Amino acid sequence: MAVPDNKLQIEMLRKMMLIRAFEEKIKYLFTRGAMAGFSHLYDGQEAVAVGGCAALTRDDYITSTHRGHGHCIAKGGDVAKMMAEVLGRRTGYCKGKGGSMHIFDASLGILGANGIVAGGLPMGTGAGLKAKLTGSGQVTMCFFGDGTTNQGTFHESLNMAGLWRLPVVYVCENNGYGISVSQARHQAIRDVAVRAEGYGMVGAIADGNDVLDVYEKASAAVERARRGEGPTLLECKTYRYGGHHVGDPGTLYRSNEEVAAWRAKDPIPRMIAHVLDSGVMTRAEVDTLKAEVDAEIEAAAAYSLESPLPEPEEALDDLFIGFRATGREGRGARGGCAAGAGRAECGGAEGRPRA
Ligand SMILES: Cc1ncc(C[n+]2csc(CCOP(=O)(O)OP(=O)(O)O)c2C)c(N)n1
Ligand SMILES: [Mg+2]
């Protein structure tokens, strides 16, 4: 059984606090008109990303979702670059052109948040195949929601991974809803984990509001994968506090009582109680940790709000590998792939990107 040492317990608490503070700041900025578009917030589900990613190394991969801030922070993402990206600033992870659902950091093994529901599953399965073929020892953890488990690519991905014994951990965050549709109204099963049997892989269920339980079960799955014993479907039962996205009050399809019952199981106070009871931290140390996290998020917000927006002329830059807009597109030459350059520079005739 994987028991995290004191240092890791404190780090898990810090990361959960960081995700919560990040999401609360995004909501604050959205409601004050500082942000364009929507963002799907992760508050309430912190224990899943943090417990899962704590079982991984830096070299391991994750795939994420439309609700991806928590996964990226848990895997080590830079909160200032993330917030700048959510606010569409040039200093963000994708120079402000990807936004909340396209945060990506290959250096940390983050294969991207994803606006396509179930889009991360085939990508993560492919990363698992690569790890198996090259013998790299890397494990991939794919995060996705309960609604996602009705998509075709979920079944196709798990079928292949089970057949080929790929080193992938499929983590279903069962928060009880796909947008406004409750799980009872979108599938005939209660435990997504039972689907593991159909793909010849291990299925497990964790309390998704208990970071220690998620860590223990994720660690067992990661160890199995590294030993070459194939994939796992790990279902984490949890809840999102807000609506589907920042613009959804979430009040039309669920009761106040239901939300309150889940808030009583909040993963952060639960972990605080654990570190206090077990003597891992004192109350003063917890308070200091919280103050440090809040200061980090304030600094990230200030950095983001002071950062410039991208220029309109940059709109087509970085969209394709080896391709930058040229004068012939009427947007002014921006270097990289000069007008008239051939295939070697641009990957295609007439400066068009490779298909
Ligand atoms: C292929 C595709 N179909 C539909 C959508 C619209 N959509 C966005 S989120 C969502 C529900 C996802 O539910 P779930 O997998 O439970 O994730 P949660 O939002 O609960 O985290 C849907 C249908 C989409 N983005 N992509
Ligand atoms: Mg869901």
Side-chain angles (χ1 to χ4, degrees), residues 190-206:
R190 289 305 299 269
D191 296 330
V192 170
V194 300
R195 292 194 169 167
E197 195 172 344
Y199 309 110
M201 66 177 72
V202 176
I205 297 177

Side-chain angles (χ1 to χ4, degrees), residues 97-139:
K97 294 186 288 185
S100 167
M101 285 186 274
H102 300 97
I103 292 169
F104 185 103
D105 189 340
S107 72
L108 295 169
I110 300 170
L111 300 183
N114 207 314
I116 307 298
V117 165
L121 283 147
M123 285 171 52
T125 304
L129 179 59
K130 173 246 178 189
K132 178 149 186 168
L133 292 176
T134 61
S136 70
Q138 290 160 297
V139 171

Side-chain angles (χ1 to χ4, degrees), residues 187-341:
Q187 57 191 191
I189 51 171
R190 289 305 299 269
D191 296 330
V192 170
V194 300
R195 292 194 169 167
E197 195 172 344
Y199 309 110
M201 66 177 72
V202 176
I205 297 177
D207 177 344
N209 278 32
D210 178 352
V211 72
L212 298 173
D213 195 44
V214 175
Y215 174 74
E216 183 190 328
K217 285 161 185 164
S219 296
V222 168
E223 283 162 24
R224 256 196 309 278
R226 267 200 236 289
R227 286 196 303 265
E229 294 170 19
T232 299
L233 173 58
L234 173 61
E235 176 185 6
C236 300
K237 310 265 192 192
T238 186
Y239 200 76
R240 62 167 152 78
Y241 288 160
H244 178 59
H245 53 61
V246 277
D248 168 22
T251 47
L252 293 177
Y253 51 88
R254 54 188 205 172
S255 66
N256 291 341
E257 291 72 29
E258 182 180 295
V259 180
W262 277 96
R263 280 193 180 274
K265 296 188 277 190
D266 191 312
I268 296 176
R270 275 172 83 175
M271 187 57 177
I272 291 173
H274 171 80
V275 293
L276 293 178
D277 292 350
S278 56
V280 172
M281 294 178 85
T282 64
R283 172 57 69 183
E285 286 168 341
V286 170
D287 291 345
T288 302
L289 189 66
K290 174 80 172 83
E292 287 169 358
V293 160
D294 287 346
E296 188 175 346
I297 294 299
E298 284 307 318
Y303 169 80
S304 304
L305 291 168
E306 285 161 12
S307 294
L309 293 163
E311 295 296 331
E313 303 83 65
E314 296 165 40
L316 294 184
D317 290 352
D318 305 310
L319 292 188
F320 301 99
I321 291 173
F323 175 76
R324 304 196 82 184
T326 72
R328 280 180 298 162
E329 285 80 15
R331 280 174 286 273
R334 298 196 56 81
C337 177

Side-chain angles (χ1 to χ4, degrees), residues 176-196:
Y177 290 87
I179 308 188
S180 56
V181 184
S182 67
Q183 190 198 4
R185 290 177 58 225
H186 76 64
Q187 57 191 191
I189 51 171
R190 289 305 299 269
D191 296 330
V192 170
V194 300
R195 292 194 169 167

Side-chain angles (χ1 to χ4, degrees), residues 145-147 173 175-178:
D146 50 296
E173 306 195 52
N175 62 11
Y177 290 87

Side-chain angles (χ1 to χ4, degrees), residues 54-65:
L56 300 174
T57 68
R58 185 186 167 105
D59 285 343
D60 290 328
Y61 294 119
I62 64 164
T63 65
S64 176
T65 68

